[in-house]
Amino acid sequence: MSDIPKDLRYSPSHEWVRDEGNGVVTLGITDHAQESLGDLVFVELPEVGQAIAVGDEMGVVESVKAASDLFSPVSGEVVEVNETLGDTPEAINGDPYGDGWIAKVKLSVPAELDELLDADAYTAVAEEEDD
């Protein structure tokens, strides 16, 4: 079973969101997503300053098995990206909720966080896909 921390919010497309409490959130892909993709070999990051909306493509993660688009679970402006993933995309496999974070976004619609899944709801989504 994948690790699904209780303190994060999730999108049905397997992105996680950590509210940093200052109007900024950190984004990444879930443990379930990285397990499904396998060993990651490339990450295309969004650009700092890029405006994104819910559902926008904001990057790509590519593994030895497949490539998968990253979709933004929130609206706002990208204020930081994890540049180390350019040299070490496998950091997502090793620590998807820590060193494998992808971007930080300054929220333009903070209420969107309430529309994301909690850990229990995301667990149900992940389990349904595993069946």
Side-chain angles (χ1 to χ4, degrees), residues 11-113:
S11 71
S13 57
H14 308 291
E15 289 83 15
W16 59 261
V17 178
R18 176 180 297 119
D19 185 355
E20 303 296 348
N22 56 357
V24 174
V25 295
T26 302
L27 310 177
I29 65 168
T30 66
D31 190 39
H32 175 78
Q34 70 81 20
E35 285 178 356
S36 298
L37 287 165
D39 294 336
L40 295 177
V41 295
F42 177 76
V43 179
E44 179 185 306
L45 298 167
E47 292 186 25
V48 173
Q50 179 179 347
I52 54 175
V54 171
D56 283 357
E57 288 183 26
M58 56 178 256
V60 174
V61 289
E62 187 175 323
S63 72
V64 294
K65 293 177 9 184
S68 181
D69 292 328
L70 295 171
F71 296 101
S72 180
V74 295
S75 299
E77 178 185 344
V78 177
V79 294
E80 186 177 351
V81 296
N82 187 352
E83 299 283 357
T84 62
L85 295 178
D87 293 329
T88 58
E90 66 275 11
I92 293 173
N93 294 115
D95 190 9
Y97 303 112
D99 291 343
W101 66 276
I102 292 173
K104 296 186 181 206
V105 174
K106 182 172 179 52
L107 298 171
S108 59
V109 187
E112 289 173 347
L113 291 177

